[in-house]
Amino acid sequence: MRQYFVRTFAAALLSAPLALGLAGSARADGPIRVTDAFARAAAAGGVGGLFLTIVNTGPSDRLTGVASPVAGKVELHESIDDKGVMKMRSVAGLDIPAAATVKLAPGGYHIMLIGVKQPLTVGGHVPVTLTFEKAGKLEVEASVVKPGGMSPGRSTDSGDSGMGHEMGHGMGNMPGMTPAK
């Protein structure tokens, strides 16, 4: 009996780190999922942009961190129109409303890859980790597209310049926010 208890307890201890690791990683059954992740090609030492769509089918959450091994620094940014001049600024986080879709897209919120360690080449992939207050960590892989390009499933001929067309004021008009489906 004692030997059975020791084996069972040891197995539980050994599996605990695995269970804890899975709790923070991407879960297919969680309320947050990411689609249309893409990064634009960039030279080594340069700056790259990463864009994606966050679909939240659950309660409100907040994106609090972004990380990727491909760059020296990774930041969440927003583009703003300052008296007719488009500027970017770093933001600490991004609210993800309940039952909403939030697009990180050119001209709005996006992820900056600063000090790219190796060239991001068309057809390649960029791993990125998104950290949410409630949902935890979500591992995503973005496809690399040509500079100025859009996600692999979207054409740049759509009439969308990607520069500020989504800018608005107030929660209902935040860039890229639409009700989740």
Side-chain angles (χ1 to χ4, degrees), residues 30-120:
I32 301 279
R33 67 184 167 85
V34 172
T35 64
D36 302 324
F38 71 99
R40 290 184 173 160
V47 177
L50 194 142
F51 313 94
L52 48 83
T53 300
I54 301 169
V55 180
N56 183 8
T57 58
S60 64
D61 206 334
R62 182 168 174 82
L63 177 61
T64 59
V66 290
S68 178
V70 305
K73 191 174 188 180
V74 183
E75 296 179 347
L76 180 60
H77 278 209
E78 74 173 322
S79 297
I80 58 168
D81 184 341
D82 183 12
K83 300 177 187 167
V85 177
M86 291 302 293
K87 296 181 178 181
M88 288 186 289
R89 67 179 174 197
S90 179
V91 294
L94 177 61
D95 290 330
I96 311 297
T101 297
V102 178
K103 291 185 181 189
L104 278 67
Y109 289 101
H110 56 278
I111 296 168
M112 292 299 299
L113 304 168
I114 303 165
V116 174
K117 294 177 181 178
Q118 296 179 353
L120 304 181

Side-chain angles (χ1 to χ4, degrees), residues 39-42 119-125 143-147:
R40 290 184 173 160
L120 304 181
T121 56
V122 175
H125 291 77
S143 300
V144 179
V145 300
K146 67 181 181 176

